[in-house]
């Protein structure tokens, strides 16, 4: 059982720890798992989260930064005051837990629909768009000389990679072709400034409490690039969960997001944000196609994955709303 | 010609059974999976009901737009290629209308409760 290995691990780095209780797997793909558990301690239990690749799954997917980089980024963010869980321990090979890290568990909600509907978050919701702007500004300001090695991508390279992914699906979609043409025609070129980009900053990867944003999760797609990419991605309609008139995660307006970002001393380029929103919408659509392919080819033959293939059309209507809006 | 009930009636009967008789008996992760299963059957029922009509209109529009004949798959592939080459774009008469009509027909089957679709539907045509 994983609790035995975790108990041995915590005894080494958590002073006074007497063991581990309540280990439960929260999510798990083939190569990466998230577990929650409590560290038993004389001062009271300490909530913790394990993120790991089990033994034998060392290789990260090409776009992912890897768990070691993720741990380093989260710790850096935590130290800089960007809401992020504190990293408690990076796994070592002799612990027999695979590769990954253990972090402090931040209480709150990540399920987007609950955050957007439940009374508990009613007071936080109107504040979130602006707050997200401020947090992204802090994230984009993390010191580059302390960052782990990360891939670096310009807008042009991102378009080419996306096009390659799309063509490999052999899934001709006129709306996606139109979006690719639009992206090429509106390629903003290299950004004036290259910063850390979170890469998956959206409703669903944020821990929200009654008081607002508590932690930014899932740093695995972090890279170096145009900071406006994060502002565009957080506005993709797929992350508004029905609240389509509130572009920022279903919480609020672009104006509030931009105001929060600029109040923290950084500048917004709205045209670049729009470019990345279109790119993000297409990216999610192509990812839906990728899930369909994995369903067909067998590694994950689940009904859920099959149905995600049928969500690509959601991104088609959203792309049309962005690129060929009808009426007023 | 195959006998009846039709696939639409049969699929709907299974979906209704799972929804009304089985759903109350199941909890936890299996209940989530069951909901997905029922959603799939509902999608299949919608597709069986609507596909014939929407494909026929799509082919008609594509023939006019491309000036050629073919199956709905062939014509879609041809349109995708022409857009990729820049031979057809939003300035081409009929393209935007075609893409909108086709996409609305897809959403009507895939995700009729998707908020963007409901918004566009409320504009009327």
């Amino acid at each position: 059982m994983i609790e035995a290995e975790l108990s041995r691990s915590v005894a080494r780095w958590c002073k006074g720890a007497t063991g581990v209780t309540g280990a439960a797997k929260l999510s798990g793909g083939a190569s990466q798992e998230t577990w929650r558990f409590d560290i038993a301690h004389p001062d009271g239990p300490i909530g913790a989260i394990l993120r790991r690749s089990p033994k034998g799954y060392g290789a990260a997917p090409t776009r992912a930064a890897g768990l070691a980089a993720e741990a380093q980024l989260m710790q850096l963010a935590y130290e800089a005051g960007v809401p992020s869980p504190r990293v408690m321990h990076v796994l070592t090979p002799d612990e027999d837990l695979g590769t990954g890290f253990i972090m402090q568990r931040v209480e709150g909600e990540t399920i987007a629909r609950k955050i957007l509907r439940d009374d508990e978050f009613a007071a936080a919701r109107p504040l979130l768009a602006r707050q997200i702007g401020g947090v992204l500004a802090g994230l984009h300001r993390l010191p580059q000389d302390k960052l782990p090695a990360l891939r670096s991508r310009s807008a042009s390279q991102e378009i080419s990679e996306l096009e390659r992914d799309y063509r490999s699906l052999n899934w001709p979609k006129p709306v996606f072709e139109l979006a690719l043409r639009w992206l090429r025609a509106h390629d903003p070129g290299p950004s004036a400034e290259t910063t850390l980009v979170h890469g998956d900053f959206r409703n669903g990867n944020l821990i929200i409490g009654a008081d607002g944003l508590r932690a930014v999760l899932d740093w695995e797609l972090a890279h170096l690039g145009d900071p406006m990419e994060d502002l565009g991605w957080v506005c993709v309609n797929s992350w508004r969960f029905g609240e389509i008139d509130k572009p920022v995660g279903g919480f609020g307006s672009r104006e509030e997001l931009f105001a929060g970002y600029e109040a923290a001393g950084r500048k917004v380029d709205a045209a670049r944000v729009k470019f990345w929103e279109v790119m993000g919408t297409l990216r999610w659509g192509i990812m839906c196609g990728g899930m369909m392919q994995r369903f067909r080819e067998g590694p994950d033959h689940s009904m859920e994955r099959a149905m995600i293939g049928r969500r690509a059309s959601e991104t088609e209507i959203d792309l049309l709303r962005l690129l060929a809006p009808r009426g007023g | 010609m195959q006998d009846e009930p039709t696939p639409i009636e049969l699929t709907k009967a299974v979906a209704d059974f799972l929804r009304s008789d089985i759903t109350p008996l199941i909890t936890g992760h299996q209940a989530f999976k069951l909901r997905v299963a029922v959603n799939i059957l509902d999608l299949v029922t919608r597709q069986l009901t609507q596909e014939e009509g929407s494909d026929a209109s799509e082919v008609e529009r594509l023939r006019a737009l491309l000036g050629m004949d073919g199956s709905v798959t062939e014509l879609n592939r041809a349109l995708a290629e022409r857009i990729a080459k820049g031979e057809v774009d939003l300035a081409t008469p009929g393209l935007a209308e075609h893409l909108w009509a086709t996409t609305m027909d897809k959403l009507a089957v895939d995700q009729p409760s998707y908020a963007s679709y409901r918004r566009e539907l409320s504009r009327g045509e």
Side-chain angles (χ1 to χ4, degrees):
Chain A
M1 262 310 285
I2 195 161
E3 283 185 7
E5 281 113 36
L6 282 170
S7 294
R8 278 196 296 277
S9 172
V10 300
R12 292 162 60 167
W13 50 264
C14 183
K15 208 170 172 195
T18 55
V20 154
T21 58
K25 201 201 280 196
L26 296 180
S27 68
S31 65
Q32 216 169 80
E33 298 175 349
T34 303
W35 293 74
R36 63 171 282 152
F37 63 97
D38 289 312
I39 301 172
H41 196 280
D43 299 341
I46 304 167
I49 294 282
L50 165 71
R51 291 260 291 156
R52 69 157 185 174
S53 290
K55 275 182 294 177
Y57 288 100
T62 46
R63 291 184 66 81
L67 286 169
E70 203 179 330
Q72 218 176 322
L73 288 168
M74 287 177 109
Q75 186 60 24
L76 207 57
Y78 177 80
E79 286 165 9
V82 175
S84 177
R86 184 169 63 84
V87 176
M88 302 163 94
H89 176 68
V90 176
L91 300 179
T92 54
D94 59 333
E95 288 170 309
D96 228 16
L97 279 162
T99 55
F101 59 93
I102 292 165
M103 62 185 169
Q104 157 210 19
R105 192 166 74 235
V106 176
E107 298 301 335
E109 186 56 66
T110 57
I111 298 172
R113 286 181 190 281
K114 287 192 180 175
I115 299 165
L116 290 177
R117 313 275 188 276
D118 288 4
D119 287 344
E120 193 188 339
F121 308 103
R125 280 193 291 270
L127 312 174
L128 280 166
R130 190 184 167 95
Q131 203 181 1
I132 283 170
V135 168
L136 279 172
L139 197 155
H140 294 155
R141 210 185 273 125
L142 289 181
Q144 295 204 27
D145 55 346
K146 291 191 181 155
L147 299 178
L150 295 168
R151 73 193 163 87
S152 169
R153 290 289 185 281
S154 68
S156 317
Q157 287 169 315
E158 290 279 6
I159 301 169
S160 298
E161 280 190 21
L162 202 55
E163 177 159 9
R164 193 200 54 205
D165 289 350
Y166 161 67
R167 303 248 174 261
S168 76
L169 294 171
N170 186 26
W171 199 36
K173 284 174 131 3
V175 174
F176 284 8
E177 299 285 0
L178 197 71
L180 281 167
R181 293 285 301 186
W182 187 93
L183 289 170
R184 292 254 182 242
H186 294 79
D187 182 345
S191 55
E193 180 194 21
T194 297
T195 68
L196 172 70
V197 176
H198 179 278
D200 201 8
F201 193 106
R202 62 172 175 87
N203 195 356
N205 283 339
L206 306 173
I207 298 182
I208 308 287
D211 50 344
L213 178 52
R214 288 186 184 163
V216 181
L217 303 175
D218 287 293
W219 294 68
E220 63 195 33
L221 294 175
H223 57 276
L224 300 174
D226 180 354
M228 296 303 109
E229 181 182 342
D230 278 332
L231 278 71
W233 182 247
V234 79
C235 291
V236 167
N237 190 60
S238 311
W239 324 133
R240 298 180 204 168
F241 298 90
E243 296 291 328
I244 58 175
D245 297 316
K246 294 177 182 161
V248 185
F251 304 128
S253 67
R254 289 187 188 82
E255 291 72 21
E256 292 166 275
L257 171 77
F258 295 173
Y261 195 77
E262 300 206 322
R266 292 191 46 87
K267 264 204 75 56
V268 169
D269 182 332
R272 278 183 180 270
V273 175
K274 163 100 188 255
F275 169 85
W276 288 108
E277 183 181 336
V278 174
M279 169 89 88
T281 308
L282 178 62
R283 184 187 301 290
W284 173 237
I286 292 172
M287 285 166 72
C288 292
M291 307 240 190
M292 175 195 71
Q293 199 175 40
R294 278 200 285 286
F295 162 75
R296 277 202 175 143
E297 290 172 359
D300 179 357
H301 199 76
S302 67
M303 295 185 296
E304 299 91 294
R305 214 163 264 271
M307 275 300 260
I308 288 177
R310 282 300 189 105
R311 298 190 59 184
S313 52
E314 297 178 356
T315 66
E316 291 182 285
I317 194 171
D318 289 332
L319 286 167
L320 287 179
R321 279 166 61 82
L322 285 163
L323 306 181
R326 304 192 298 179
Chain B
M1 186 174 166
Q2 300 294 329
D3 274 340
E4 296 179 357
T6 65
I8 297 171
E9 291 169 304
L10 292 170
T11 316
K12 196 170 172 309
V14 177
D16 289 343
F17 164 69
L18 292 176
R19 200 176 357 244
S20 320
D21 296 8
I22 304 300
T23 299
L25 309 176
I26 305 217
T27 56
H29 188 62
Q30 296 302 57
F32 164 74
K33 302 272 286 188
L34 181 65
R35 218 159 41 238
V36 177
V38 170
N39 287 342
I40 288 180
L41 291 174
D42 287 344
L43 185 154
V44 170
T45 308
R46 288 192 298 271
Q47 182 157 342
L48 290 170
T49 310
Q50 299 173 31
E51 190 172 28
E52 204 176 319
S54 65
D55 273 6
S57 328
E58 189 175 345
V59 165
E60 202 176 309
R61 288 192 304 269
L62 284 165
R63 282 156 98 178
L65 201 57
L66 300 168
M68 61 182 273
D69 208 354
S71 70
V72 68
T73 312
E74 288 159 356
L75 291 171
N76 260 298
R77 193 174 286 276
L79 177 61
E81 277 166 19
R82 288 199 200 175
I83 295 172
K85 287 184 191 150
E87 294 168 5
V88 171
D89 62 21
L90 286 173
T92 307
L95 181 72
E97 292 76 6
H98 165 72
L99 294 177
W100 267 110
T102 307
T103 303
M104 292 299 280
D105 285 344
K106 289 168 80 163
L107 267 297
V109 169
D110 287 347
Q111 304 291 345
S113 62
Y114 192 57
S116 305
Y117 171 71
R118 294 218 312 267
R119 176 70 52 85
E120 293 297 332
L121 205 59
S122 73
R123 286 179 195 281
E125 269 313 318

